[in-house]
Amino acid sequence: MLSRLILLLLAMLGGVFAAYYLVSSLAAIPKIGVASVFSLTVAGQVIMSLILDTTGTFGAAQISLSTFRILGTLLLLAGTILIQR
């Protein structure tokens, strides 16, 4: 019973985070542009996925950082900076 309650609370928390993302994206688009908002979103997701891969979170296979993965992330961040200019 407790695990069902925890799952329900996590699902609700996911809904709250999704609503926050939607509202903050809609507020940011007029100020920094659509391309900047979505490039920052993708960059954040890639960085978080690297962290989750490196730590093996959620029972996923642990994948160590390589030079190419770090270089790819840095290029993505450079692209995000270039889009904002």
Side-chain angles (χ1 to χ4, degrees):
M1 183 68 182
L2 183 61
S3 63
R4 290 188 71 178
L5 179 63
I6 290 172
L7 288 175
L8 179 64
L9 290 174
L10 287 175
M12 288 181 180
L13 189 61
V16 169
F17 283 143
Y20 176 77
Y21 167 73
L22 178 66
V23 171
S24 62
S25 293
L26 290 174
I29 285 174
K31 295 178 182 171
I32 64 173
V34 175
S36 293
V37 168
F38 285 111
S39 66
L40 288 168
T41 300
V42 170
Q45 289 175 347
V46 168
I47 291 169
M48 193 64 207
S49 69
L50 283 177
I51 292 169
L52 294 176
D53 277 349
T54 304
T55 59
T57 309
F58 303 120
Q62 192 171 0
I63 302 171
S64 62
L65 283 177
S66 68
T67 305
F68 289 114
R69 293 181 78 166
I70 293 171
L71 181 62
T73 304
L74 290 175
L75 287 172
L76 178 68
L77 291 173
T80 300
I81 291 168
L82 290 174
I83 286 174
Q84 290 184 358
R85 292 186 179 217

